[in-house]
Amino acid sequence: MNDLDKHILKIINEELSKNGTAYNIRKDGKSIERNSNDNIKIESKKDKDGINILVKENTINGYVHIPVLITQSGLSDKVYNDFYIGKNSIVTINAGCGIHNDKHKDSSHNGIHRFFIEEGSYVKYIEKHYGEGEGKGKRILDPVTEVHLGKNATLEMDTAQIKGVSSTIRKTKAVLDDGSKLIINEKIMTHESQTAKTIFDVKLNGKSSSAKVTSRSVATENSYQEFVSKVVGNNECFGHVECDAIIKDNAKVLSDPKILAQHIDARLIHEATIGKIAGEQLIKLMTLGLSKKKAEETIINGFLK
Amino acid sequence: MIELVNISYEIDNKKILDNINIKFDSNFTVITGPNGSGKSTLAKIIMGIIKPTSGKVLYNGEDITNYSIDKRARSGISFSFQQPVKFKGLTVFDLIKLSSNDELDFNSSCDILSKVGLCAREYINREIDDSLSGGELKRIEIASIFVRNSNVTIFDEPEAGIDLWSFKNLISIFKELREKNNSKTIIISHQERIISIADKVIILENGKVKDDKDYLLNELNLKKCPKLGGDVNE
Ligand SMILES: Nc1ncnc2c1ncn2[C@@H]1O[C@H](COP(=O)(O)OP(=O)(O)OP(=O)(O)O)[C@@H](O)[C@H]1O
Ligand SMILES: [Mg+2]
């Protein structure tokens, strides 16, 4: 790994400590470093490009890091990663992707992640997406996430894309069994003429299953964002989708939520807000001595924290 | 010291403030008067949130009428809102830290919360959003303004929504402020306990200053206030 790799790694995956942790570092379409341990095994897929991450049942405080670095302009990388989480485990997964593109050709990464989370397990999934570089070449990230939550299992997913990604289409699908829980916190900020689209498709099939999807986004300059979600309640369940967008300059945001209840005891809520930074918030921070610009930054940083 | 010279404010052809002249030369001035009389408007004109239609705002003799809000804040004027502003994502600690110019650390921020009767541990990391009650928001607002140690501090109805027990703490904070040298406090209030510790009371009615002690004595039932010539009981 060179200094550039380390720099990007730090931005997307700050806590990577290699001491005994299970990890896989992928750079420019290849796995360059890998480690498995007693509880967590990482192996290459035989039929296609990608890895299987196998977590033994009853693994407590397991950590997995699977950062992806793209530094080669013009590279189009596609990878299939499957997570098999055994019963009654507690696991944190850190997956980030950083693209550095200084040239004029487009670089892209397309990660297809599938989660099979067995009964009673808790998984925290953290994903940071980041792009940088002066070139005209686009930096494209199109992740697909598919989640299968077993009985009483929980997935908490924190995703953030704050800077430098020219275009993203993010698809997340989840199917929930009895008593399982899905919590998603998404943060997106777009600049220039970037575009970002997120699509959530959640099926609450299990009794007492619940999903809470929170999306906070800031669209600035000429960027465009789309938020699409569909939550279906097929049992006694609870679903709450909240998407909150701040727009600036000439940015555009489309929010397209759907909730479908197909069971008498399904309770589904959707809240969507789009608007510029509230004038009173700016005024309040200015009365504390912040310039208008600093006040704006403070409000946005807090919102996306 | 703040001085208002011939301040008028009109909106939609309605006169909200009509030729106001006030020198805030006392340490502790209370502005009172009926709802809609223009008190908050007056405070916002001092802070620069509203520009007057005519007239001047002087600060230590300097004309600051065209200064921006943040410039006034940096030169030592503070304002505690009648209705505190909510934020998504900013915590109580963030606000207190910003408000104190990054000078207060975690522990001193906790101390100031205790001063307004909030259990610091429970509140310091809360977001300043709809999940806080009206009284909690109000006390956080007051605490965050108190830490600014400004030359001029304006509180707009600090007592609103605050329970009796916390109100006692509040009075002691204001008494502390009153004793401070080189700091002037202006409080908009309807509360007799606050009015009774004032060095000077200004009554606003229909956008005009009303110089009428009887009003205070009768309308606000402040017979016990020594400053106004009532019975001494303190
Ligand atoms: N933007 C506006 N447009 C029209 N009228 C306004 C506007 N802002 C204030 N007013 C009016 O100006 C008057 C004074 O308002 P202000 O908020 O200063 O009153 P106040 O004395 O602080 O009242 P309160 O005791 O209820 O807080 C009110 O009648 C109010 O309706
Ligand atoms: Mg008012």
Side-chain angles (χ1 to χ4, degrees):
Chain A
M1 272 200 293
N2 57 34
D3 286 349
L4 174 64
D5 298 345
K6 284 181 192 151
H7 152 77
I8 299 177
L9 196 60
K10 203 171 162 199
I11 292 172
I12 59 166
N13 206 340
E14 59 220 53
E15 290 154 87
L16 175 58
S17 94
K18 292 182 180 170
N19 264 344
T21 325
Y23 67 89
N24 182 80
I25 303 174
R26 182 181 175 89
K27 184 187 167 187
D28 294 331
K30 282 185 221 70
S31 205
I32 57 165
E33 273 185 51
R34 179 180 299 172
N35 186 49
S36 296
N37 59 29
D38 291 348
N39 290 318
I40 302 168
K41 192 170 155 199
I42 303 181
E43 57 180 33
S44 297
K45 276 194 179 300
K46 302 211 169 65
D47 52 337
K48 47 192 166 192
D49 203 353
I51 48 177
N52 290 327
I53 296 104
L54 307 149
V55 177
K56 269 194 199 157
E57 55 182 55
N58 300 316
T59 298
I60 302 297
N61 285 335
Y63 287 93
V64 184
H65 295 266
I66 50 158
V68 172
L69 313 171
I70 310 279
T71 59
Q72 196 182 318
S73 184
L75 185 86
S76 168
D77 182 28
K78 189 167 188 170
V79 65
Y80 295 82
N81 294 339
D82 289 337
F83 298 86
Y84 298 91
I85 315 291
K87 279 185 199 167
N88 301 320
S89 296
I90 302 174
V91 186
T92 302
I93 299 164
N94 230 307
C97 180
I99 301 189
H100 179 94
N101 189 355
D102 259 340
K103 307 264 165 46
H104 58 281
K105 286 189 196 152
D106 297 351
S107 302
S108 69
H109 175 75
N110 196 345
I112 295 139
H113 299 282
R114 296 193 298 168
F115 290 87
F116 302 90
I117 303 173
E118 287 182 20
E119 194 171 342
S121 281
Y122 167 90
V123 175
K124 170 116 187 171
Y125 180 69
I126 304 161
E127 182 190 84
K128 271 189 201 162
H129 281 177
Y130 168 75
E132 61 168 35
E134 301 299 317
K136 280 215 173 75
K138 287 189 174 155
R139 299 173 293 267
I140 303 165
L141 289 169
D142 291 333
V144 176
T145 308
E146 201 184 299
V147 181
H148 301 267
L149 275 167
K151 283 197 176 57
N152 300 318
T154 302
L155 173 68
E156 208 176 324
M157 187 168 156
D158 288 355
T159 67
Q161 175 192 309
I162 304 301
K163 234 183 124 181
V165 177
S166 327
S167 152
T168 192
I169 299 176
R170 157 188 292 285
K171 292 183 189 152
T172 308
K173 273 188 181 181
V175 181
L176 284 80
D177 206 339
D178 291 354
S180 66
K181 222 172 167 176
L182 175 69
I183 304 157
I184 297 177
N185 287 301
E186 176 186 75
K187 309 264 157 92
I188 296 183
M189 183 160 178
T190 49
H191 303 87
E192 298 167 350
S193 48
Q194 296 168 357
T195 59
K197 180 169 180 173
T198 63
I199 304 162
F200 289 101
D201 185 340
V202 178
K203 289 193 172 62
L204 295 162
N205 291 349
K207 193 171 186 304
S208 305
S209 58
S210 72
K212 174 141 177 65
V213 177
T214 310
S215 167
R216 282 188 179 176
S217 73
V218 179
T220 72
E221 300 174 58
N222 291 305
S223 63
Y224 177 75
Q225 294 184 7
E226 231 178 282
F227 175 90
V228 180
S229 76
K230 183 173 180 189
V231 176
V232 183
N234 292 324
N235 209 324
E236 180 250 301
C237 62
F238 179 64
H240 187 173
V241 179
E242 187 182 340
C243 82
D244 217 327
I246 293 179
I247 43 168
K248 282 183 67 185
D249 317 311
N250 298 310
K252 296 185 181 69
V253 174
L254 172 73
S255 186
D256 178 13
K258 291 183 190 69
I259 44 183
L260 171 65
Q262 307 190 125
H263 189 281
I264 185 73
D265 292 317
R267 215 160 71 79
L268 306 175
I269 301 173
H270 184 272
E271 296 172 78
T273 319
I274 305 174
K276 63 177 184 212
I277 293 180
E280 57 166 17
Q281 294 183 345
L282 283 175
I283 289 174
K284 170 66 197 178
L285 293 187
M286 286 170 78
T287 66
L288 302 180
L290 277 69
S291 67
K292 195 169 175 200
K293 192 163 174 282
K294 191 88 217 320
E296 256 190 44
E297 275 172 31
T298 306
I299 292 164
I300 287 177
N301 290 343
F303 183 68
L304 293 177
K305 194 166 47 189
Chain B
M1 179 197 66
I2 295 283
E3 187 178 350
L4 300 177
V5 185
N6 299 326
I7 289 282
S8 292
Y9 179 67
E10 251 176 65
I11 188 162
D12 301 338
N13 288 323
K14 191 178 152 208
K15 245 197 161 93
I16 310 290
L17 292 174
D18 187 3
N19 202 35
I20 302 281
N21 288 284
I22 305 172
K23 262 189 190 171
F24 292 95
D25 48 7
S26 314
N27 258 9
F28 199 88
T29 306
V30 172
I31 304 175
T32 191
N35 293 137
S37 56
K39 304 177 297 295
S40 294
T41 307
L42 191 84
K44 287 177 184 165
I45 284 175
I46 297 174
M47 193 67 235
I49 298 168
I50 294 177
K51 290 255 174 291
T53 316
S54 60
K56 279 185 200 164
V57 182
L58 305 181
Y59 176 45
N60 296 334
E62 187 184 353
D63 184 351
I64 61 163
T65 319
N66 293 314
Y67 284 15
S68 63
I69 301 171
D70 49 320
K71 188 166 178 187
R72 293 181 204 212
R74 288 192 296 271
S75 60
I77 304 174
S78 285
F79 176 50
S80 161
F81 285 56
Q82 182 171 6
Q83 266 128 10
V85 178
K86 292 174 221 166
F87 293 88
K88 277 194 171 148
L90 280 193
T91 64
V92 173
F93 179 51
D94 290 336
L95 183 73
I96 292 178
K97 204 159 164 250
L98 279 173
S99 196
S100 69
N101 274 321
D102 277 348
E103 272 162 29
L104 280 202
D105 60 13
F106 196 78
N107 285 337
S108 349
S109 300
C110 287
D111 291 347
I112 182 69
L113 283 181
S114 313
K115 238 181 174 154
V116 291
L118 290 175
C119 169
R121 239 171 272 283
E122 279 173 31
Y123 288 95
I124 192 85
N125 288 320
R126 291 269 301 266
E127 286 191 12
I128 307 169
D129 60 13
D130 290 323
S131 70
L132 289 163
S133 79
E136 289 164 347
L137 276 168
K138 193 77 192 181
R139 282 185 274 171
I140 289 161
E141 173 82 359
I142 292 164
S144 75
I145 294 307
F146 188 68
V147 299
R148 289 182 61 74
N149 278 320
S150 298
N151 298 328
V152 176
T153 309
I154 311 160
F155 292 92
D156 196 348
E157 296 196 24
E159 74 270 19
I162 287 189
D163 61 73
L164 275 176
W165 187 82
S166 311
F167 186 69
K168 273 190 194 157
N169 287 319
L170 210 62
I171 292 286
S172 66
I173 285 187
F174 288 142
K175 280 188 173 158
E176 207 178 297
L177 271 175
R178 187 183 60 176
E179 301 316 321
K180 261 194 187 164
N181 290 324
N182 64 45
S183 108
K184 304 249 180 287
T185 306
I186 301 168
I187 300 196
I188 296 169
S189 176
H190 301 289
Q191 240 297 330
E192 111 182 46
R193 290 278 286 135
I194 293 180
I195 298 173
S196 69
I197 59 170
D199 298 319
K200 182 175 175 177
V201 179
I202 291 163
I203 307 154
L204 221 55
E205 200 178 57
N206 288 325
K208 288 193 175 137
V209 175
K210 196 171 175 196
D211 197 5
D212 189 350
K213 272 186 194 162
D214 292 340
Y215 172 89
L216 281 174
L217 291 169
N218 299 324
E219 303 275 321
L220 295 171
N221 198 15
L222 288 176
K223 299 209 169 59
K224 293 198 172 89
C225 176
K227 297 254 162 35
L228 296 165
D231 305 330
V232 180
N233 85 339
E234 265 195 307

